[in-house]
Amino acid sequence: MSTSLIILAAGKGTRMRSDLPKVLHKVAGFPLLAHAMTSGAAFEPERTVIVTGHGAELVDAAARAVDEAATCVVQEEQLGTGHAVLQARPALDGFRGDVIVLYGDTPFIRPETLQAMAEARKTHDVVVLGFQAADPAKYGRLVMDGEELQKIVEFKDASIRERAIDFCNSGVVSASAETLFALLDKVGNDNASGEYYLTDIVALAREAGLSATAVACDELETMGVNSRADLAVAEAAFQARARAEALESGVTLTAPETVFFAMDTHVGPDTEIEPNVVFGPGVTIENGAHIRAFSHLEGAHVSRGAVVGPYARLRPGAELAEDVRIGNFVEIKNAVIDEGAKVNHLTYIGDAHVGERSNIGAGTITCNYDGVFKHRTEIGKRVFVGSNTMLVAPVKLGDDAMTGSGTVVTKDVPEGALALGRADQVNKSGLARKMFEILKARKEKQAEGKS
Ligand code: UD1
Ligand code: CA
């Protein structure tokens, strides 16, 4: 059975107090919308339709960053969740399978939960995802009759008896496209909010002789983000789960509560991650690497046996081969560091390639930017770059080359050559001692003048 997703993301999210549409606020380095799309991706959806409204263009761009094939449809006026889903109809023209409706501001629905809904769809025409609410507050209430879902009543429209129900609507709904849109055609807005409620399709289904049921999930999964406080809670929930999963998969975290993962961080087993490490988007750590304390990694690939940090920064395009060493206060950007190479202290390597087993001395800088353009630095194999070398790109150092400390390299260095580019040193015999005597005498004189 093929599946398509409809993700509702038209709301403004007033309580965020933000110029940014709510679904673009980030958890674990990715917009809420990307989390919702990722949950739904478990179905390999045939089509993904995002219903946008506020900040439609920005939401559109974010959706495409996750899935180029996603279609965004604009809901000009937010007339309710039922009206929102109807906007997706033209984009699903000709689609014959199942539709799952998700909310763009609800990031944590697990693929397993959606799978359970798909299972329930085999025996029911409409399937709703519900949860036992610790505090049912304003959620829609699921009115059950045994296994059958009779209707969903919105809080505002509910009787006192219905309000006492604590089995609540998450908002996630599944039905065949045909059934969904046929039922939505019948939904009116004669209710306390004057909105077209998606939830009304349940009672309409029952009236039409169709069956409906609810699948239950953990309340945490259905958590929606409506405020900055919710966003912080969502971040904490994500991190708690990511840390537990990392530990479970064989990663050592010395202080799990201080390590922050992105939604797409991949860490292989037998990796050791010390305290206070932050992963931005796009990081892969292969088995058995060691990420030392206070390191920040983003868009980086770290191979087996590599050691990074403490206090290292890997920026997008950092590609570390096996057994590479990246030490304290080193920044690597858009650079490939080949097997066994060492960049141990106080260095910037950007737009560069460092060949295998080369050693980059403390304080080395690839001067990659001339104020307008970026340029590349090529360092061969087994090169020894002396401390405080400035590599003024574009520049190449051949295999087995060497640079003297403090050299400003502006010309290519042939293989096996030593580059020296610094002022020659002169020693003035006895002059230091003489200088000390003069200075001390001056200090004594000043002290006498004061007393
Ligand atoms: C909705 C459900 C309620 C459920 C709750 C769970 C309805 C009528 N009610 O209520 O049963 O318990 O979610 O959180 O469905 N949206 C649009 N266009 C619109 C209206 C909403 O895109 O015209 C989007 C919002 O951006 C949001 C989602 O749909 O992502 C839910 O809308 P919201 O207004 O928050 O619904 P609730 O009143 O919370
Ligand atoms: Ca809501």
Side-chain angles (χ1 to χ4, degrees):
M1 167 68 81
S2 67
T3 303
S4 285
L5 300 177
I6 298 176
I7 303 183
L8 304 189
K12 181 160 186 280
T14 311
R15 285 203 282 142
M16 295 300 284
R17 298 191 193 286
S18 175
D19 290 336
L20 199 65
K22 176 165 73 173
V23 295
L24 297 191
H25 285 267
K26 289 179 178 173
V27 164
F30 285 82
L32 292 167
L33 179 64
H35 288 266
M37 290 174 75
T38 303
S39 320
F43 282 110
E44 299 176 15
E46 188 170 315
R47 301 187 205 175
T48 297
V49 185
I50 321 277
V51 181
T52 65
H54 289 277
E57 273 170 39
L58 291 173
V59 176
D60 197 307
R64 267 167 227 272
V66 182
D67 175 5
E68 274 185 1
T71 310
C72 291
V73 296
V74 181
Q75 183 192 25
E76 298 291 352
E77 268 185 294
Q78 276 76 64
L79 301 179
T81 48
H83 179 258
V85 172
L86 271 176
Q87 308 310 303
R89 184 188 237 159
L92 290 176
D93 191 34
F95 172 72
R96 295 264 162 268
D98 258 18
V99 170
I100 294 187
V101 179
L102 300 172
Y103 291 172
D105 62 2
T106 303
F108 298 140
I109 309 283
R110 291 185 312 144
E112 295 88 327
T113 299
L114 296 179
Q115 219 65 57
M117 288 181 72
E119 205 50 44
R121 266 282 297 124
K122 291 178 181 163
T123 49
H124 293 82
D125 298 297
V126 177
V127 178
V128 169
L129 182 63
F131 62 101
Q132 294 292 338
D135 172 14
K138 303 264 161 74
Y139 289 114
R141 305 300 205 260
L142 301 183
V143 182
M144 302 296 292
D145 175 13
E147 200 190 293
E148 288 291 315
L149 175 61
Q150 286 188 308
K151 60 175 177 176
I152 305 178
V153 190
E154 288 305 297
F155 174 79
K156 280 190 190 170
D157 304 292
S159 65
I160 291 175
R161 273 181 98 170
E162 287 163 341
R163 285 183 183 184
I165 297 172
D166 62 359
F167 192 33
C168 292
N169 176 28
S170 70
V172 181
V173 173
S174 178
S176 74
E178 199 185 358
T179 303
L180 178 69
F181 292 122
L183 292 171
L184 278 172
D185 276 335
K186 299 187 201 164
V187 169
N189 66 351
D190 182 15
N191 52 51
S193 306
E195 288 183 7
Y196 296 88
Y197 293 159
L198 170 61
T199 45
D200 280 354
I201 66 166
V202 173
L204 290 165
R206 298 302 302 271
E207 275 168 33
L210 301 175
S211 63
T213 193
V215 164
C217 73
D218 195 79
E219 182 165 4
L220 195 64
E221 268 185 67
T222 70
M223 179 205 173
V225 172
N226 294 304
S227 64
R228 306 274 180 166
D230 288 348
L231 195 66
V233 171
E235 182 72 45
F238 178 92
Q239 296 303 339
R241 193 167 82 186
R243 290 162 190 154
E245 282 171 9
L247 293 167
E248 183 63 28
S249 71
V251 175
T252 294
L253 302 175
T254 345
E257 67 285 2
T258 67
V259 174
F260 290 80
F261 295 98
M263 183 180 80
D264 65 347
T265 307
H266 176 85
V267 183
D270 276 329
T271 290
E272 186 180 344
I273 301 175
E274 292 185 9
N276 296 296
V277 171
V278 175
F279 294 100
V283 176
T284 298
I285 312 285
E286 304 285 353
N287 302 8
H290 185 175
I291 312 299
R292 303 203 55 201
F294 294 97
S295 293
H296 189 284
L297 297 82
E298 181 174 1
H301 177 223
V302 177
S303 302
R304 278 168 187 271
V307 181
V308 174
Y311 295 99
R313 175 151 188 225
L314 302 186
R315 291 174 54 204
E319 168 75 45
L320 314 188
E322 293 188 10
D323 302 321
V324 160
R325 294 274 182 283
I326 302 298
N328 41 270
F329 307 107
V330 170
E331 174 177 343
I332 308 282
K333 184 215 75 168
N334 187 30
V336 176
I337 315 293
D338 285 345
E339 194 170 335
K342 292 180 181 163
V343 191
N344 272 332
H345 336 263
L346 300 156
T347 290
Y348 172 62
I349 300 290
D351 302 314
H353 171 218
V354 176
E356 63 186 48
R357 281 183 289 128
S358 284
N359 190 314
I360 310 296
T364 297
I365 290 174
T366 53
C367 310
N368 61 326
Y369 186 47
D370 59 18
V372 180
F373 295 105
K374 300 279 175 66
H375 303 281
R376 283 191 63 80
T377 300
E378 278 290 335
I379 299 174
K381 300 172 187 171
R382 300 171 302 275
V383 172
F384 180 88
V385 175
S387 295
N388 200 33
T389 295
M390 298 295 117
L391 298 160
V392 183
V395 74
K396 281 188 180 144
L397 277 61
D399 293 347
D400 304 297
M402 218 183 230
T403 73
S405 296
T407 293
V408 178
V409 180
T410 54
K411 292 180 287 199
D412 288 355
V413 181
E415 59 168 51
L418 166 65
L420 281 176
R422 58 188 185 205
D424 272 345
Q425 179 176 335
V426 280
N427 291 335
K428 308 272 189 187
S429 133
L431 193 57
R433 198 163 285 133
K434 214 171 271 172
M435 289 292 288
F436 280 133
E437 278 163 16
I438 293 169
L439 294 171
K440 279 176 190 158
R442 192 179 291 167
K443 195 173 180 183
E444 263 168 41
K445 214 164 186 185
Q446 278 178 358
E448 274 166 28
K450 275 181 193 156
S451 63

